[in-house]
Amino acid sequence: MDRPAAVLWDMDGTLVDSEKLWDVALYEAAESLGGTLSEEQRLTLVGSNMDATASYLLEVVTGQEPTPAAIAEMGEWIRQRTANLFEGALPWRPGAREALAAVRAAGLPSALVTSTERALTELALNTIGREFFDVTVCGDEVDGLNKPLPEPYLRAARLLGVDPARCVAVEDSPPGTESAVAAGCTVLVVPNDVPVEPGERRVFRSSLAGVDVAAFGALLG
């Protein structure tokens, strides 16, 4: 069985069910602006980076074009609230910890590739475990070229010294899946809060339960 050169893991909604904590922060952020965020509007933000999230919230709730200063202030509000929520243990997605452990035990390189900023990612890694990853790429480390652009996954592959076309990415959201596909990866898609459209180099599973190195290798054909 062929083995991938590396496995590249998304974090929120893929490894841990932290999207539920983001829900709390984003709904409270909307309330702090004197408005509300509908469930439908919230779901459009799954996989988004902080600046895009803050900008969208301000525009939707206030009805005005947000200024850079307002985006920065809103982003800091969300960042601080989410950091408080991330300090506790994060709930694992089904099979995620076992899949991480199987890849690590097999000696395959792994990268964490997340739109979440470094400071919050470090808090999340207290639950997930830094030992599972050779490198981590965060949303504030890609020069603004966040998912759905390919740079996060391309950067992870460069740091690992591997060909992205020989990598399997694990994702749950449309922006993350688009990013990994654009980078040339094969993507194991495990949808969580929002559906992901079928397409090129996308293989779907309902969970990560039972996924091991052989399963990742089979995805490359």
Side-chain angles (χ1 to χ4, degrees), residues 54-93:
S55 178
Y56 180 84
L57 267 176
L58 288 162
E59 188 172 346
V60 165
V61 175
T62 69
Q64 299 177 355
E65 185 74 22
T67 65
I71 292 171
E73 183 178 357
M74 185 78 267
E76 186 58 26
W77 194 102
I78 298 168
R79 191 177 290 112
Q80 292 298 324
R81 182 65 180 110
T82 308
N84 177 261
L85 295 166
F86 271 39
E87 286 178 349
L90 302 177
W92 284 94
R93 294 287 293 152

Side-chain angles (χ1 to χ4, degrees), residues 61-212:
V61 175
T62 69
Q64 299 177 355
E65 185 74 22
T67 65
I71 292 171
E73 183 178 357
M74 185 78 267
E76 186 58 26
W77 194 102
I78 298 168
R79 191 177 290 112
Q80 292 298 324
R81 182 65 180 110
T82 308
N84 177 261
L85 295 166
F86 271 39
E87 286 178 349
L90 302 177
W92 284 94
R93 294 287 293 152
R97 195 179 195 288
E98 293 77 11
L100 278 172
V103 169
R104 178 50 82 210
L108 281 183
S110 281
L112 186 68
V113 186
T114 177
S115 293
T116 298
E117 296 177 353
R118 170 61 64 182
L120 292 175
T121 299
E122 289 297 328
L123 291 175
L125 284 169
N126 291 334
T127 291
I128 298 169
R130 292 167 181 79
E131 68 274 13
F132 288 121
F133 308 104
D134 298 287
V135 301
T136 56
V137 176
C138 299
D140 53 345
E141 298 171 345
V142 291
D143 304 320
L145 303 175
N146 294 289
K147 301 176 186 179
L149 297 175
E151 177 58 21
Y153 282 102
L154 291 175
R155 181 163 300 200
R158 288 197 302 270
L159 290 171
L160 291 173
V162 297
D163 179 359
R166 299 299 304 163
C167 294
V168 175
V170 188
E171 272 285 354
D172 75 304
S173 72
T177 300
E178 291 171 25
S179 173
V181 169
C185 304
T186 295
V187 189
L188 177 60
V189 185
V190 185
N192 187 358
D193 285 333
V194 294
V196 177
E197 292 295 322
E200 178 186 18
R201 297 197 307 281
R202 304 176 187 197
V203 180
F204 289 76
R205 285 184 66 114
S206 59
S207 82
L208 285 170
V211 173
D212 56 14

